[in-house]
Amino acid sequence: MTGPGDTDLNLALIGNAAGAALISSEGAVTFMCAPRMDGDPVFCGLLNPVSGPPEGEWQIRLTGQTRSEQRYLRNTPIVETLLHDAEGNCLRLLDFMPRYKNEGRTFRGRTLVRIVEPVSGTPRLQMRLRPRYGYGAHPATRTAGSNHIRYDLGSQVLRLSTDAPLDYVLSETPFLVGRPMAFLFGPDEGLSDDALVVAQHFLRRTRGYWQDWVRSLALPPDYQQVVIRSAITLKLCSYEDTGAIMAAITTSIPEYDGSGRTWDYRFCWLRDSYFTVQALNSLNATRTMENYLLYVSNVAAGSPDGVLQPLFGLGGEREPLEELMPDLAGYRGSGPVRRGNAAYTQVQNDGYGSVIMAVTQAFFDERLPNLGGVDLFRRMEQIGDEARRRWNEPDAGLWEFRTRSAVHTHSALMCWAGCDRLAKIARHLNLTPEADRWAAEAHEIREAILHGAWNKERGSFVSEFGGEDLDASLLLMAQTGFLRPDDPRFLATLAAVEQDLRFGDHVYRYRRPDDFGAPETAFSACTFWLIDALHRVGRQEEARQIFEGILSQRTALGLLSEGVHVETGALWGNFPQTYSMVGLINSAMALSRRWEEVL
């Protein structure tokens, strides 16, 4: 099932924790939402507007273009694309969004900046800037000014400011590039100086910001470039204004061609956010945790009954209604395209433990300017009370089954983890009665899991209390501290998961058919969970071998989507997926040598 705008996920992510865009390997802006990262995709070429390409994209090409090269500027999310034609001419294209420190605050303008400059010969450029709105339904209406073009997109107006010839931009006429030129696309506001001057100022300050940020990371000696790129990507998936963390930048990239599994991931899942915070904390990038704490506090305060839904909008919105968008055919023609996610209506009881685990370090990390105290602990206790009440109630589970529910082992495990961490926090704060109470709650849940989730016939834990099937989340039993890695029950469960869910060096999340049939792609996060489990039980070389294999399946720029098709190695699912980027960091940190072994 293919469409006229066939592409792959070999895309570059740019952004600044306020906005984000995806750039194709040939330099086209193929996906960008405005005014927020969960808004209308004004560049939606990745999802194939039914009117056909080049609608919904911002293309910069050379006439007679033959090839392109692409890389990130070192330790930044600034992408450089070199465009070549048949006559030996070459054009350099720099794409980024500005982010830098300014008068004690972080400036993160919602502007896409593109700088073009000739590298060799006399390159001849053709630009096609065709944003759409209403999820691909309508083309923008253009109005030209002296040095800008305004694009009316229904509920918003965006402006292109440039020092390039406007007539050529409007008519899409090829023109020679004999000097650097700049294009700034963003809010309908004038510039304080010439477009190129502003763009080069943004470039210099933004590059310096990211290089300083990377310098502050606590990196392992091995796999440094893997960790750096993954950390930057996770940072770009955060929405710093509120502290929310997106599961992915995109919507509706299917789990596999024609599967119908097309979901909108541009929301903040409590579960996914925990994994992101944990990974960044391990690198000394704790500010994301601090911002997320504010976000969680706000959504919890807005839940007077104590119930936390699985996901929220970037601004804390509670009802991201799921709708089909008929004017977009879908990635490679494989729809439907969806806006919103009905999973917000589901019961997913693992979220309570996820929230508590995400903020636990805030009570212990002396580097933080404001350590968590009794007031924060009391707020977390309210969430813990829900975990205590709900751990043995049926839910949709972390895989978000839409037509069945059960008491899922992973949900109970995370509720146990929440109570266990509350006991540790209370002990740290010298709150002895509270520590004893939460330790007792954790013990009760733990005993129930040991009995209810253990299947004697299979000789392993299973995914549901009283069930028979396995899912990959069972691999997290050691990582969460529920069982020691050398516990015979964990070793038996690891062996069972490998037998049922491991195919070569890939791991499926489960194999039992769900609402859409049996999964056809391996879930990358699960493969990283296997690597972690193998590392913990001492199978280091095997873990390293699997890790090296998945490194080879990243895009040319080091990014991963949600899943991998086992037979072809093709990437599928929303992109870039925070779960997968977290796995890259965690595995690299676990498998790297220590600094004293290197120096």
Side-chain angles (χ1 to χ4, degrees), residues 368-398:
L368 301 179
N370 298 300
L371 283 171
V374 174
D375 289 343
L376 176 59
F377 172 73
R378 297 301 182 200
R379 294 201 299 272
M380 291 302 103
E381 276 198 307
Q382 295 174 7
I383 296 173
D385 283 336
E386 294 302 318
R388 174 181 58 81
R389 281 192 283 266
R390 298 173 181 275
W391 67 267
N392 60 351
E393 294 183 359
D395 71 350
L398 83 162

Side-chain angles (χ1 to χ4, degrees), residues 1-2 9 252-263 265 329-336 338 508-509 511 516-523 561-574:
M1 183 180 297
T2 58
L9 293 178
S252 304
I253 309 299
E255 293 180 17
Y256 189 60
D257 196 11
S259 67
R261 301 173 187 265
T262 55
W263 315 117
Y265 277 10
Y331 173 73
R332 303 187 68 177
S334 183
R338 303 174 199 262
Y508 287 84
R509 51 194 171 179
R511 293 298 286 169
F516 294 84
E520 297 184 68
T521 52
F523 200 70
S561 64
E562 181 181 47
V564 178
H565 189 253
V566 172
E567 295 178 0
T568 66
L571 298 181
W572 287 92
N574 281 305

Side-chain angles (χ1 to χ4, degrees), residues 13-22 31-39 77 96-99 107-112 185 187 210 232-241 246 249 314:
L13 172 66
I14 63 171
N16 60 4
L22 294 174
F31 192 80
M32 187 182 88
C33 300
R36 291 194 328 196
M37 293 188 285
D38 58 351
F96 66 98
M97 290 183 173
R99 179 183 175 90
F107 173 74
R108 45 180 188 269
R110 299 187 185 190
T111 301
L112 171 56
F185 186 77
W210 286 106
I232 290 175
T233 302
L234 292 181
K235 185 71 172 176
L236 299 187
C237 289
S238 67
Y239 184 64
E240 212 163 62
D241 188 56
M246 300 175 72
I249 296 297
L314 301 189

Side-chain angles (χ1 to χ4, degrees), residues 44 134 147 155 178 181 221 225 238 259 353 403 450 475 518 531:
C44 54
N147 298 101
S155 61
M181 298 177 183
Q225 288 302 316
S238 67
S259 67
T403 58
L450 292 176
L475 296 171
I531 292 171

Side-chain angles (χ1 to χ4, degrees), residues 427-555:
R427 202 165 289 117
H428 178 71
L429 296 175
N430 295 317
L431 301 173
T432 302
E434 290 87 344
D436 292 342
R437 180 169 76 90
W438 286 112
E441 297 288 358
H443 177 75
E444 178 184 346
I445 299 173
R446 185 176 190 275
E447 290 299 308
I449 294 173
L450 292 176
H451 291 90
W454 180 260
N455 184 300
K456 293 182 179 179
E457 287 72 26
R458 298 210 58 165
S460 74
F461 289 102
V462 289
S463 59
E464 302 171 1
F465 279 35
E468 298 179 352
D469 298 313
L470 289 85
D471 78 282
S473 68
L474 297 168
L475 296 171
L476 297 173
M477 284 185 148
Q479 186 181 123
T480 57
F482 183 81
L483 292 175
R484 290 177 53 86
D486 60 357
D487 189 303
R489 294 166 294 188
F490 180 71
L491 294 172
T493 301
L494 170 59
V497 169
E498 288 191 87
Q499 179 179 337
D500 281 22
L501 305 180
R502 180 178 175 180
F503 289 77
D505 288 342
H506 300 280
V507 178
Y508 287 84
R509 51 194 171 179
Y510 50 85
R511 293 298 286 169
R512 174 186 175 187
D514 59 16
D515 319 328
F516 294 84
E520 297 184 68
T521 52
F523 200 70
S524 294
C526 300
T527 303
F528 288 118
W529 294 347
L530 174 63
I531 292 171
D532 177 84
L534 295 177
H535 166 70
R536 291 176 186 272
V537 302
R539 294 162 61 182
Q540 301 288 345
E541 289 307 312
E542 191 174 355
R544 193 180 305 277
Q545 176 185 343
I546 297 173
F547 184 55
E548 295 289 347
I550 204 167
L551 289 182
S552 69
Q553 293 172 325
R554 296 173 299 158
T555 66

Side-chain angles (χ1 to χ4, degrees), residues 32 34 142 145 154 209 351 439 467 497 578:
M32 187 182 88
R142 303 183 306 181
Y209 170 86
V497 169
T578 55

